[in-house]
Amino acid sequence: MSMKGKGGDTLVTEHTLTTGKHEIHYLAAGPEDGPLIVLVHGWPELSLSWRHQLPALGGLGFRAIAPDMRGYGGSSVYPRHEDYAQELVVGDMLGLLAELGRESAVWVGHDWGSPTVWNIASHHPEHCYGVASLCVPYYSLERGLDHVISLVDREIYPEDQYPAGQWDYQLFYQENFSRATRTFEANPANTLKLLFRKGDPAGFAKPAATSMTRANGGWFGSAEEAPDFPIDTDVISEEDLSVYAQALQRNGFFGPDSYYMNHEANAAYAERSLNAGVLEMPALFLAAQYDYVCETITSKAAEPMRRLCRKLDESVIYSGHWMAQEKPEEVNAALVSWLNRRLPGLLQ
């Protein structure tokens, strides 16, 4: 497939491999012998979310790969919540690396892909040239829900009114998992149109809608499915929306939503990280100015990362949560600049 994203015309190809009993569907661009960079998507997405980055990085000479994570797209789907714990997801990625015959890679994550790449860096540094994350800082979500709640900006979310801050929606999954999943599945296209929207500067320093999910009775209040919003073509095209919606129609939301059901296991896994959690390899964090859930502009959420990453670079992208899709040129430029500056030997 020739992917006409905002990253050039480099050919993007589709592949499937098996690691153990786990099947991974992935997209790839660039020379097969190029240095490997793996792009890890989050909820509720696909490898397609990196459509603007794959051709850009592949065109520079990297072997750029974006897998469908477990529970998504063409990769294996599992029936239990615990099948989506971070330790297993990391295992999938290490299996991918081994099946490709590689020792190491640059790992780039977004949303739930970020805990995965941070975990690879902190548990398996020998397999990590460098690590980059969009929106989610190191030492945050992979450490469990209680930890990220402890970093909430209480100027915006007074504890008596918003005990879980903007992370309230994650408690809704724990308390009402079947309802959350059922309402998303009732109309995946509408769900995605509501989610995939560009950042809104007017929401800065105000409570996010996700802080009121339980009080409202669900993501869509009392409604049994998402309302029909117009598509935001600054983030996604009708053609791409159809691909996402068909994948979620086929697989359902059980797997994607189950990523939120393993906080205790994830926190215990994170505690076993090497080097007391200190990361010595180059790390890049791209903060989203208008992401009011993974919020690092006014809160303390990024402070542990700054303390523990020895070679950290940071940039702010003026986007909402779906940064790689909303502001692809800026994201690509930040990634390439960092790769050239911090890992200049990879392409030599």
Side-chain angles (χ1 to χ4, degrees), residues 112-164:
W112 269 109
S114 295
T116 300
V117 301
W118 290 125
N119 276 323
I120 291 169
S122 61
H123 290 78
H124 304 280
E126 72 279 11
H127 296 307
C128 183
Y129 293 129
V131 58
S133 175
L134 284 56
C135 301
V136 181
Y138 178 49
Y139 217 92
S140 63
L141 192 54
E142 79 275 15
R143 294 270 158 177
L145 185 56
D146 289 344
H147 178 72
V148 291
I149 289 174
S150 76
L151 299 171
V152 164
D153 183 347
R154 291 301 178 188
E155 293 294 314
I156 298 174
Y157 301 99
E159 193 163 7
D160 59 342
Q161 188 177 357
Y162 301 99

Side-chain angles (χ1 to χ4, degrees), residues 19-238:
T19 170
K21 296 181 179 179
H22 181 69
E23 189 167 87
I24 299 176
H25 170 266
Y26 66 94
L27 300 178
E32 290 193 21
D33 61 350
L36 186 63
I37 185 165
V38 183
L39 307 162
V40 183
H41 74 78
W43 181 94
E45 302 184 77
L46 291 170
S47 52
L48 182 67
S49 294
W50 301 104
R51 60 193 175 277
H52 303 300
Q53 287 69 47
L54 286 164
L57 294 166
L60 290 174
F62 287 94
R63 181 62 169 174
I65 284 178
D68 288 343
M69 303 306 287
R70 61 168 52 204
Y72 289 95
S75 294
S76 297
V77 176
Y78 298 94
R80 305 176 306 161
H81 292 317
E82 55 265 38
D83 294 323
Y84 298 90
Q86 277 296 297
E87 188 168 5
L88 297 177
V89 180
V90 167
D92 296 342
M93 295 298 96
L94 296 179
L96 170 68
L97 193 66
E99 287 297 320
L100 293 171
R102 301 301 192 100
E103 287 295 320
S104 198
V106 177
W107 300 90
V108 182
H110 169 252
D111 192 85
W112 269 109
S114 295
T116 300
V117 301
W118 290 125
N119 276 323
I120 291 169
S122 61
H123 290 78
H124 304 280
E126 72 279 11
H127 296 307
C128 183
Y129 293 129
V131 58
S133 175
L134 284 56
C135 301
V136 181
Y138 178 49
Y139 217 92
S140 63
L141 192 54
E142 79 275 15
R143 294 270 158 177
L145 185 56
D146 289 344
H147 178 72
V148 291
I149 289 174
S150 76
L151 299 171
V152 164
D153 183 347
R154 291 301 178 188
E155 293 294 314
I156 298 174
Y157 301 99
E159 193 163 7
D160 59 342
Q161 188 177 357
Y162 301 99
Q166 72 269 32
W167 305 106
D168 181 81
Y169 74 102
Q170 298 206 13
L171 289 170
F172 186 78
Y173 286 118
Q174 295 181 9
E175 297 168 7
N176 298 277
F177 185 88
S178 61
R179 172 165 169 74
T181 300
R182 184 177 68 250
T183 55
F184 290 146
E185 289 177 345
N187 193 321
N190 278 7
T191 298
L192 293 165
K193 284 191 291 182
L194 186 65
L195 290 169
F196 287 150
R197 311 202 75 77
K198 62 177 145 320
D200 180 7
F204 188 76
K206 297 176 183 176
T210 56
S211 66
M212 296 167 269
T213 306
R214 290 186 297 168
N216 291 338
W219 277 80
F220 317 123
S222 60
E224 290 300 315
E225 66 177 72
D228 188 7
F229 271 58
I231 189 172
D232 185 346
T233 54
D234 289 334
V235 177
I236 191 170
S237 69
E238 289 279 5

